[in-house]
Amino acid sequence: MGTIKLQNIRTFSFHGCLEEEGKIGSDYRIDLEIKTDLRKSSLSDNLKDTVDYVLLNKIVVEEMAIRSKLLEHVANRIIHRIFNEIPSVARILLAVSKLNPPIGGDVEAVTIEMEEYRN
């Protein structure tokens, strides 16, 4: 088993329960870690033998562009899409952070983290 990490993916998205959040948007940070077998690609030096992190980034960015009220909802969509499109992924650890959330205080970020294993 091996690990591939995409750290600090940045998007401007429109998630949140408040109506204003759907109109003005916010900055987000996404951290993704996947577990997969890297032995074959470590020997072959061929992209087709590994998980393409360009595809992982594309999935995250596309799903972040679809409005959700809750960060948990968008995270769940990202996780299920990765499992559906990339059969070799065995485990996903995903953190979605809303930067400077509108919660009436000086808070840098609010983060949810989800971990799922392939059934």
Side-chain angles (χ1 to χ4, degrees):
M1 242 345 125
T3 303
I4 297 174
K5 296 180 183 181
L6 278 72
Q7 298 171 305
N8 199 20
I9 301 168
R10 292 176 300 278
T11 69
F12 189 84
S13 303
F14 297 88
H15 307 300
C17 291
L18 302 175
E19 189 176 324
E20 311 83 75
E21 293 176 294
K23 294 178 181 174
I24 62 172
S26 295
D27 290 309
Y28 290 81
R29 172 190 167 139
I30 302 91
D31 294 297
L32 174 64
E33 177 180 306
I34 63 116
K35 291 281 188 186
T36 190
D37 189 343
L38 297 176
R39 290 174 291 192
K40 186 173 181 181
S41 61
S42 72
L43 297 172
S44 72
D45 196 26
N46 195 321
L47 182 60
K48 72 175 179 58
D49 294 330
T50 192
V51 174
D52 185 352
Y53 49 79
V54 173
L55 176 57
L56 290 171
N57 185 67
K58 178 179 181 278
I59 290 170
V60 168
V61 170
E62 287 177 359
E63 292 301 323
M64 287 297 293
I66 301 168
R67 179 165 162 64
S68 289
K69 291 180 183 174
L70 300 178
L71 299 180
E72 296 91 319
H73 188 259
V74 70
N76 186 59
R77 283 200 325 264
I78 292 167
I79 288 168
H80 282 91
R81 185 160 166 209
I82 290 170
F83 279 143
N84 287 337
E85 293 188 24
I86 309 171
S88 63
V89 172
R91 174 190 155 271
I92 299 171
L93 179 61
L94 177 69
V96 179
S97 302
K98 179 184 285 192
L99 307 180
N100 302 310
I103 61 173
D106 187 11
V107 177
E108 182 179 329
V110 173
T111 302
I112 65 97
E113 190 172 271
M114 294 176 70
E115 181 177 18
E116 295 288 336
Y117 294 82
R118 182 175 297 283
N119 293 333

